[in-house]
Amino acid sequence: MHKITKPKLVKIRSANEAKKYGIAAANLKELIKKGCNLLKVSSSKVHVCLYEDGTVVTEEYFQNLPNNTELVLLPEGQSWNGLVHEINQVLGLDRDTDLLISAANNLLSDEHSPKRRRILGDLLRNLRDNSELENREEDKDWFKGIDARFKTKSAYMKYNCESRIRGYLKEVDGYTQTIPNAKTKSEYKKVVEILADKLKAARYNGTYFDRSERDIHRLCTEEGWFTCQGAFDENNCAFLHSINPYGSRESRILFSTWNLDHLIEKKRTVMPTLAEALKGNKSGDINVDYFYKLLFTRENLKLVHIVCHKKGAHELSCDSRKIYKRVRRTVKSKHIHNPLVKYAA
């Protein structure tokens, strides 16, 4: 007489749907048949795995499963990697953002764990993303506190970058007051004037934060995402910091804590080197292009999250071969008294 196997109660679902069905089955074959009928999929060449970690379920494994185990029914060639798959589903659910926000808000209303509240809060901040909106009329909240003359996000972000670069120029100009020698100070002022003219022509490099600019001119993606470039002495960001200030007012405000960090430091190194180079020399002897790049361009600037902005001395110096202009040697070269000027044959 054959032993009657007691049906096992399990929950089955497909990889593409969150809805689960309760099924009573005495064996794996029966489970697959019932599951295919409920999920409306072909019963040929399908397999079952654990929802939790993707372990493939065999007949022997099925018989040892506890009741109410969650299973996934998969067609041939499709695999399931457990919760990783679920995370990928959440990341790709742009069309159901409102449902996700509602669900996260419901969870948050009854959640008391600080850690879980932080995770849910971060999720909500990222879901409430209006980065696809550009104009003031489309996203009024983003523009709160911003002067009415700015009609688009890109225009304001360009201004934001320009303001930072203008600030650097102001610091360079302010260093003039620390130079005791009158002649050196006068030549330093001339260099500052040249730097100011170059910056004005370049529109203060505001393109760095403007997502509407060409790829080679901006630091962000066309959607507005910025990625931390890592500390001055690292090749990339170990924390994978990223932000889209175009997405929300909060992200825009948080982006103000990110820094354009000078690799060769502006105050400790670049400005003192420029002043020192002008002792006994004229502004015309200086390779202003080199100092312009060090002070105001991506050649010496890295965009970094505040955590990756190291405040200590960088211990990097200017390239002595680039400080002065290279001039052609002439028969009258003996009249040029400055031994530091670089000559080209």
Side-chain angles (χ1 to χ4, degrees):
M1 188 174 184
H2 295 291
K3 181 181 178 181
I4 299 176
T5 304
K6 184 179 179 181
K8 190 178 295 293
L9 300 175
V10 295
K11 296 176 182 178
I12 193 85
R13 54 167 287 178
S14 70
N16 302 319
E17 297 291 338
K19 188 175 181 180
K20 292 172 280 191
Y21 297 89
I23 291 179
N27 52 56
L28 184 60
K29 184 177 180 180
E30 184 182 1
L31 169 68
I32 290 175
K33 182 179 180 180
K34 289 184 175 180
C36 288
N37 287 333
L38 282 170
L39 298 173
K40 295 180 173 54
V41 296
S42 172
S43 59
S44 62
K45 297 183 178 180
V46 297
H47 61 283
V48 177
C49 66
L50 290 182
Y51 164 79
E52 183 179 356
D53 60 10
T55 300
V56 175
V57 176
T58 61
E59 179 62 44
E60 182 181 359
Y61 198 90
F62 175 78
Q63 294 302 331
N64 289 288
L65 288 176
N67 282 330
N68 295 313
T69 297
E70 292 190 31
L71 303 172
V72 184
L73 187 67
L74 299 168
E76 184 182 30
Q78 189 172 359
S79 61
W80 174 264
N81 50 5
L83 295 178
V84 174
H85 184 92
E86 293 289 84
I87 292 173
N88 283 330
Q89 289 289 93
V90 171
L91 292 175
L93 284 178
D94 290 338
R95 66 185 185 279
D96 295 325
T97 296
D98 290 341
L99 292 175
L100 283 170
I101 290 175
S102 177
N105 276 323
N106 288 336
L107 287 170
L108 195 57
S109 64
D110 296 324
E111 184 57 62
H112 300 290
S113 164
K115 181 179 179 180
R116 289 168 64 88
R117 288 183 66 84
R118 167 65 186 275
I119 293 172
L120 287 169
D122 287 345
L123 174 62
L124 282 170
R125 276 188 287 276
N126 283 284
L127 289 173
R128 293 170 180 147
D129 185 312
N130 289 326
S131 58
E132 75 280 2
L133 305 179
E134 173 69 8
N135 299 318
R136 179 181 283 268
E137 292 303 312
E138 297 173 325
D139 194 357
K140 293 180 179 179
D141 182 68
W142 193 93
F143 286 88
K144 283 183 180 178
I146 294 177
D147 193 282
R149 74 178 186 273
F150 297 106
K151 306 301 182 184
T152 66
K153 294 178 180 180
S154 295
Y156 175 76
M157 291 302 296
K158 176 180 284 189
Y159 168 78
N160 182 288
C161 187
E162 289 174 358
S163 297
R164 297 194 190 201
I165 301 297
R166 285 176 186 269
Y168 299 158
L169 178 61
K170 187 176 181 180
E171 289 181 61
V172 175
D173 185 38
Y175 191 81
T176 306
Q177 305 307 316
T178 69
I179 301 174
N181 183 275
K183 187 174 181 180
T184 303
K185 179 182 290 188
S186 175
E187 295 301 321
Y188 183 91
K189 284 183 178 180
K190 292 178 183 178
V191 173
V192 173
E193 289 174 2
I194 298 171
L195 291 172
D197 287 341
K198 288 177 69 67
L199 266 181
K200 186 176 181 180
R203 297 183 180 180
Y204 298 91
N205 294 325
T207 58
Y208 291 167
F209 291 177
D210 182 358
R211 66 178 178 180
S212 67
E213 287 286 341
R214 293 172 58 193
D215 181 60
I216 60 172
H217 297 311
R218 51 179 160 83
L219 288 169
C220 61
T221 67
E222 60 183 352
E223 294 81 19
W225 281 98
F226 291 83
T227 301
C228 175
Q229 296 175 316
F232 78 94
D233 55 352
E234 297 175 6
N235 292 326
N236 47 52
C237 174
F239 303 99
L240 305 179
H241 293 129
S242 64
I243 190 170
N244 189 341
Y246 288 85
S248 67
R249 178 171 174 266
E250 181 179 2
S251 293
R252 168 175 65 77
I253 294 171
L254 286 174
F255 185 66
S256 66
T257 66
W258 285 50
N259 294 276
L260 282 171
D261 189 24
H262 288 81
L263 303 182
I264 301 175
E265 295 170 283
K266 174 176 76 266
K267 291 182 179 179
R268 286 192 178 106
T269 307
V270 181
M271 292 189 294
T273 299
L274 174 57
E276 183 66 25
L278 285 165
K279 289 181 179 179
N281 296 295
K282 295 183 177 181
S283 58
D285 299 327
I286 300 299
N287 182 0
V288 180
D289 285 343
Y290 175 60
F291 285 96
Y292 172 81
K293 291 175 181 177
L294 289 182
L295 291 165
F296 308 117
T297 76
R298 295 164 65 175
E299 284 199 25
N300 191 46
L301 291 171
K302 290 183 79 173
L303 181 68
V304 296
H305 184 281
I306 189 170
V307 171
C308 294
H309 187 207
K310 296 182 179 179
K311 298 290 187 178
H314 292 188
E315 304 295 345
L316 297 174
S317 58
C318 298
D319 188 340
S320 61
R321 299 167 299 176
K322 298 180 180 180
I323 292 174
Y324 296 98
K325 288 181 178 178
R326 298 179 67 86
V327 298
R328 293 188 178 280
R329 189 188 301 275
T330 69
V331 292
K332 296 182 179 181
S333 62
K334 61 181 180 180
H335 297 298
I336 301 176
H337 65 276
N338 178 20
L340 294 178
V341 176
K342 303 298 180 181
Y343 299 106

